[in-house]
């Protein structure tokens, strides 16, 4: 039987999550996605109205099928965590069962198990503020949405993941090198995500034979990246300074995710894989 993947963090066809879904679908996987609750309506309507049809085309000419779209907010683990104002918010009250635990339960009810878990989401409300000007709440919110969200997803999905399964997250070099502009505690959140990749690789590997890797991706003009405000500069910088002076496509990250999720990578776990045209290897810009 083909593999089944759950990809958290797909709300349009511009980001890494969409590209990973496509690469996994092209390799024969069944695709389930988790979409941020406030973005759910627009995403589902656009899907239904065919707005993404051109981007759904796979290498063999067929269209990627998304078997089911689940509403998800990865900063809440279960209903008891939801604050009153969020509960009352119209964008949230229109959907149900969107906490991490409930989504894992729904996937179990609908499909029984999955093989591949992808975390392609991040959020830092103060990302445009330097770390020195970041509030405690902003910092903790970045960690909650961008780092703990992965711990929580893996924790709740591991029991329904088939042994030999794989999980993948997306990180950024700002965790280990100074990238001015990637603020609000987002650099800290990516450092936590990479460190957790090691510990979770051990724990999920020993307990359930599940692999845990993260892809350190180069700059892509996604919706989230545009919100940070410096994405065009980072793309230009990479074009000028990376060993490979070419555009980085989301597909290249998607293909790496498909490799990491496949039996071809059966001995790879606890690693950070750079998909950035080699920019991370440079010591100076030239
Ligand atoms: P994107 O906008 O396509 O993806 C981010 C997704 O996260 C969005 O769909 C958003 O709705 C979702 N999201 C935000 N908060 C959420 C929450 N609480 N619960 C559920 N979903 C939530 O942008 P992207 O750039 O493709 O981001 C995907 C991943 O790639 C992120 O982890 C990001 O940090 C990482 N990354 C991006 C770049 C880049 O240049 N774009 C570089 C390196 C790493």
């Amino acid at each position: 039987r083909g593999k089944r993947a759950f990809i958290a963090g797909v709300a349009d066809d511009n980001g890494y999550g969409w590209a990973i879904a496509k690469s996994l679908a092209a390799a024969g996987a069944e695709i389930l996605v988790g979409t941020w609750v406030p973005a759910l309506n627009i995403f589902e309507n656009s899907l239904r109205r065919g707005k993404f049809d051109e981007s759904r085309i796979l290498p063999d000419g067929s269209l990627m099928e998304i078997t089911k779209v689940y509403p998800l907010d990865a900063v809440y683990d279960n209903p008891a965590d939801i604050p009153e104002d969020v509960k009352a918010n119209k964008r949230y009250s229109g959907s149900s069962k969107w906490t991490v635990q409930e989504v894992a339960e729904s996937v179990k009810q609908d499909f029984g198990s999955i093989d591949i878990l992808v975390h392609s989401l991040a959020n830092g409300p103060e990302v445009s503020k330097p770390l020195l000007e970041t509030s405690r709440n902003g910092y903790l919110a970045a960690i909650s949405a961008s780092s703990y969200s992965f711990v929580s997803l893996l924790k709740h999905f591991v029991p329904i993941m088939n042994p030999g399964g794989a999980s993948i997250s997306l990180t950024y070099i700002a965790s280990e090198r100074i990238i001015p502009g990637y603020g609000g505690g987002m650099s800290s959140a990516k450092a936590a995500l990479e460190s957790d990749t090691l510990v979770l690789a051990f724990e999920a590997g020993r307990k359930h034979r599940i692999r845990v890797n993260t892809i350190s991706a180069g700059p892509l003009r996604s919706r989230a990246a545009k919100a940070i405000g410096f994405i065009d500069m980072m793309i230009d910088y990479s074009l000028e300074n990376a060993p490979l002076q070419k555009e980085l496509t989301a597909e290249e990250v998607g293909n790496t995710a498909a490799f990491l999720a496949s039996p071809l990578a059966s001995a790879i776990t606890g690693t950070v894989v750079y998909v950035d045209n080699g920019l991370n290897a440079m010591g100076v810009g030239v």
Side-chain angles (χ1 to χ4, degrees), residues 9 11 15-16 36 73-75 120-122 170-172 190 217-220 222 224-225:
Y16 282 131
W36 197 29
D73 194 321
V75 304
S120 183
L121 63 97
L170 274 299
T171 187
Y172 185 50
K190 291 307 191 189
L220 174 77
S222 64

Side-chain angles (χ1 to χ4, degrees), residues 1-284:
R1 143 186 113 61
K3 298 206 164 149
R4 186 176 297 120
F6 181 85
I7 301 149
V10 179
D12 59 42
D13 59 350
N14 293 318
Y16 282 131
W18 177 271
I20 291 169
K22 274 183 80 175
S23 293
L24 290 172
E30 177 175 20
I31 305 300
L32 315 176
V33 306
T35 300
W36 197 29
V37 187
L40 182 76
N41 272 341
I42 296 180
F43 180 62
E44 284 197 308
N45 286 337
S46 305
L47 256 184
R48 207 173 308 122
R49 290 205 317 263
K51 201 188 148 212
F52 301 136
D53 281 359
E54 212 167 300
S55 340
R56 282 172 60 210
I57 301 175
L58 298 175
D60 72 356
S62 67
L63 294 191
M64 168 172 71
E65 289 298 335
I66 297 176
T67 307
K68 188 158 179 184
V69 177
Y70 292 87
L72 168 70
D73 194 321
V75 304
Y76 305 114
D77 298 317
N78 52 59
D81 290 346
I82 309 172
E84 288 304 325
D85 60 319
V86 175
K87 245 181 241 170
N89 185 318
K90 267 213 325 249
R91 290 154 100 197
Y92 281 84
S93 54
S95 301
S96 60
K97 297 191 178 170
W98 40 258
T99 66
V100 175
Q101 187 186 323
E102 291 170 294
V103 173
E105 278 165 6
S106 299
V107 172
K108 181 181 180 181
Q109 243 171 40
D110 294 342
F111 298 98
S113 67
I114 65 166
D115 304 284
I116 299 162
L117 173 69
V118 178
H119 174 283
S120 183
L121 63 97
N123 199 8
E126 298 182 16
V127 65
S128 51
K129 285 189 192 165
L131 190 53
L132 259 181
E133 284 160 34
T134 296
S135 72
R136 184 181 300 269
N137 278 341
Y139 184 97
L140 293 176
I143 295 270
S144 174
S146 313
S147 317
Y148 189 76
S149 56
F150 179 61
V151 178
S152 178
L153 274 167
L154 191 61
K155 169 181 172 171
H156 288 97
F157 274 88
V158 145
I160 65 162
M161 284 179 79
N162 295 315
S167 70
I168 293 155
S169 67
L170 274 299
T171 187
Y172 185 50
I173 185 109
S175 59
E176 45 171 333
R177 295 284 184 266
I178 300 164
I179 310 280
Y182 198 72
M186 278 307 300
S187 56
S188 331
K190 291 307 191 189
L193 182 68
E194 289 176 31
S195 178
D196 294 345
T197 299
L198 307 178
V199 178
L200 296 171
F202 172 74
E203 294 179 4
R206 286 289 175 90
K207 224 174 156 181
H208 295 277
R209 223 159 37 81
I210 286 160
R211 296 182 294 105
V212 183
N213 293 293
T214 187
I215 294 174
S216 186
L220 174 77
R221 210 176 273 102
S222 64
R223 188 189 169 101
K226 279 191 280 193
I228 302 171
F230 69 172
I231 188 67
D232 291 318
M233 195 192 95
M234 298 317 278
I235 290 173
D236 291 344
Y237 182 88
S238 181
L239 269 175
E240 222 162 274
N241 296 292
L244 303 177
Q245 293 185 295
K246 63 171 186 63
E247 187 199 348
L248 175 71
T249 65
E251 187 184 1
E252 291 172 300
V253 169
N255 289 342
T256 303
F259 160 69
L260 286 173
S262 81
L264 293 173
S266 55
I268 303 178
T269 193
T271 63
V272 179
V273 177
Y274 296 90
V275 184
D276 65 349
N277 285 324
L279 186 64
N280 73 91
M282 297 300 294
V284 291

